[in-house]
Amino acid sequence: MSTPRTAPVARPRRLAAAAVVLAVVAAVLTACGNSGPRDLLNSIRSGSVVLGTKFDQPGLGLQNPGGAITGFDATVSTYVVNRLADEMGVPHPTITWKETPSAQRETFIRNGEVDTIAATYSITTNRMKDVDFAGPYFVTYQGLLVRDDAKNINSLSDLNGKKLCSVAGSTPAQNVKNLLPDVQLQEYDSYSSCVEALRRDKVDAMTTDEVILAGYAKRWPGEFRLVPMTYPSDVCVKDAWKTAGTPFSTEYYGIGMAKEFPNAVAQVNDALTAMLQVPAGQQYSPWEQSLRDQLGDETVDDMIARADAPGSKYVFTPKPGDLSFLEAPKTPCPEGAE
Ligand code: GLU
């Protein structure tokens, strides 16, 4: 018969040591913000918020050498939290910016490391399984950036066999994998490393949202050319009919937030709607003014002209709170079409 095992008797000193270890683990988890999703409204009330954005995207979210964060995404986030604070009658909160790379955004929100993320973050059904979105607060389209001397890439149909870079965890990279299987896609961690690969001739083109590409083109004048990514002729793509000139993909930017606090999402939508209103006596809404300040009048005027053209397939003014684009029906392909 084997001797029955007895549970070891915990000695007081061991118990004390275990308690210390537990306390340290809890402190580390809290320091990492790993304490569950954050409620933006609570954070504003408590006086400090953690806002996620990109740190390397000129015009959108950029960390300047002194550490300050500038860009349209940063301005939109700041407007929203300050307006909500005004409505609650509390002081504007202290903002801590957190860099939120494309592939880590859902995790940062779910783990409570940020209150919100405005980081060129497209609203998608897939992401909405994990997080919620206020918005859309901006609409852009997938495009291509090539070196100015590269004459061989002028449309979507010139990409077969080419080396294209994009970023892991981004919708443009996913779109290329789904719809352009003959392209050699290289996925980087950030757009700044992707654009560096393009500058050094390591890839033929870079793909992501046009507004991001425009920021890099402006950062290095004369080095790059923007190529629109529209279907050059009518085509049937995975059972959906795309007429010539249809954008390859439309990206609706949202402010990513925890799913647990729908009231906060509704209030952010109200703040975004307010940002889109033109105040009496002003030429532009704070939203358009920020776009103009960050992207330049020429870029914004081009976007407006494109959206206003007769029969345009482009949008300029977003409608916060309207997510109907997620359910937009596909146009079926005509019989026999390829
Ligand atoms: N808007 C796209 C996305 O959310 C591309 C930009 C990005 O990676 O931040 O994936």
Side-chain angles (χ1 to χ4, degrees):
M1 209 177 101
S2 60
T3 5
R5 288 220 209 138
T6 49
V9 179
R11 299 209 187 115
R13 219 188 290 159
R14 269 203 213 154
L15 278 180
V20 168
V21 169
L22 275 179
V24 169
V25 169
V28 168
L29 286 180
T30 313
C32 294
N34 217 342
S35 49
R38 292 167 69 102
D39 177 3
L40 175 68
L41 301 179
N42 261 344
S43 301
I44 293 174
R45 224 171 275 122
S46 74
S48 63
V49 293
V50 183
L51 305 181
T53 195
K54 297 292 182 71
F55 279 17
D56 64 343
Q57 294 180 190
L60 295 155
L62 187 69
Q63 187 171 47
N64 299 319
I69 308 295
T70 56
F72 177 63
D73 280 339
T75 319
V76 170
S77 312
T78 306
Y79 178 96
V80 165
V81 294
N82 288 346
R83 186 176 169 96
L84 294 183
D86 289 344
E87 279 170 358
M88 289 178 203
V90 298
H92 291 178
T94 311
I95 297 174
T96 303
W97 293 103
K98 179 149 180 93
E99 185 173 23
T100 49
S102 298
Q104 291 170 43
R105 293 174 291 199
E106 290 84 71
T107 310
F108 279 10
I109 293 170
R110 282 168 53 116
N111 287 355
E113 293 183 46
V114 290
D115 286 289
T116 62
I117 294 183
T120 59
Y121 196 10
S122 298
I123 304 173
T124 68
T125 317
N126 208 25
R127 289 174 178 162
M128 285 186 78
K129 290 178 195 152
D130 294 318
V131 300
D132 213 340
F133 287 98
Y137 67 89
F138 189 68
V139 186
T140 183
Y141 302 85
Q142 186 167 344
L144 295 167
L145 192 69
V146 297
R147 285 178 301 275
D148 193 47
D149 56 6
K151 302 288 174 235
N152 56 345
I153 302 180
N154 296 301
S155 96
L156 179 54
S157 50
D158 297 328
L159 291 176
N160 281 359
K162 298 284 189 313
K163 277 192 207 138
L164 199 59
C165 74
S166 197
V167 163
S170 73
T171 45
Q174 196 56 47
N175 293 338
V176 170
K177 285 190 256 184
N178 287 349
L179 302 170
L180 302 174
D182 296 330
V183 167
Q184 298 180 47
L185 180 70
Q186 299 187 357
E187 293 182 83
Y188 287 75
D189 289 342
S190 67
Y191 292 106
S192 44
S193 47
C194 182
V195 82
E196 226 21 69
L198 179 62
R199 296 183 78 209
R200 293 179 189 189
D201 251 320
K202 299 234 171 7
V203 294
D204 300 304
M206 160 173 177
T207 185
T208 186
D209 306 335
E210 283 182 342
V211 69
I212 301 176
L213 299 175
Y216 290 119
K218 214 168 148 204
R219 160 87 179 71
W220 288 286
E223 266 195 53
F224 299 118
R225 199 160 50 85
L226 286 158
V227 176
M229 217 169 164
T230 50
Y231 288 99
S233 54
D234 297 356
V235 62
C236 188
V237 181
K238 299 218 163 167
D239 295 332
W241 187 236
K242 309 281 180 183
T243 52
T246 303
F248 178 69
S249 121
T250 306
E251 304 291 319
Y252 296 83
Y253 288 175
I255 299 191
M257 301 172 67
K259 280 181 105 55
E260 287 75 1
F261 308 104
N263 186 30
V265 175
Q267 298 218 26
V268 172
N269 273 329
D270 289 347
L272 290 172
T273 305
M275 194 181 183
L276 279 146
Q277 306 304 313
V278 183
Q282 308 264 312
Q283 191 178 3
Y284 301 120
S285 64
W287 176 84
E288 185 171 338
Q289 189 60 58
S290 166
L291 261 189
R292 290 183 175 276
D293 294 345
Q294 301 297 337
L295 308 179
D297 285 323
E298 205 188 322
T299 306
V300 176
D301 288 337
D302 286 351
M303 288 175 183
I304 295 173
R306 184 170 72 171
D308 286 350
S312 173
K313 298 179 198 302
Y314 295 88
V315 171
F316 175 65
T317 310
K319 290 195 199 118
D322 179 359
L323 300 185
S324 56
F325 63 89
L326 290 172
E327 275 120 46
K330 289 183 193 171
T331 311
C333 301
E335 221 165 296
E338 286 186 19

